[in-house]
Amino acid sequence: MNIYVGNLSFQADEESLYQLFAEYGEVKSCRIITDRETSRSKGFAFVEMTSDDDARNAISALNGADYM
């Protein structure tokens, strides 16, 4: 399942986001979307998890949570 992660801090990096979601199951990929010209984060990311159940658990646990 592919999860949209919004309102992401500009200080967040892919490795820390990967580790955050890995607490809930196996993460297949993690990608912070960046501006093409400046390479600065646009404030959102996509995290893909191998199990839909793990993804739902991560969404339930992290929805509305503060991160960085």
Side-chain angles (χ1 to χ4, degrees):
M1 176 181 279
N2 206 7
I3 304 167
Y4 169 81
V5 181
N7 295 324
L8 194 59
S9 168
F10 293 118
Q11 286 75 37
D13 62 9
E14 289 179 353
E15 181 61 30
S16 63
L17 192 60
Y18 182 96
Q19 293 300 323
L20 178 67
F21 278 84
E23 294 177 23
Y24 301 95
E26 186 179 347
V27 177
K28 187 173 183 180
S29 67
C30 177
R31 186 166 158 227
I32 294 178
I33 306 304
T34 57
D35 183 272
R36 229 182 281 179
E37 294 178 16
T38 64
S39 298
R40 184 175 177 205
S41 169
K42 288 190 172 187
F44 66 96
F46 292 97
V47 176
E48 187 174 1
M49 298 186 74
T50 56
S51 165
D52 287 352
D53 289 335
D54 291 343
R56 286 187 192 96
N57 289 337
I59 291 168
S60 295
L62 298 173
N63 189 26
D66 287 333
Y67 177 64
M68 293 193 164

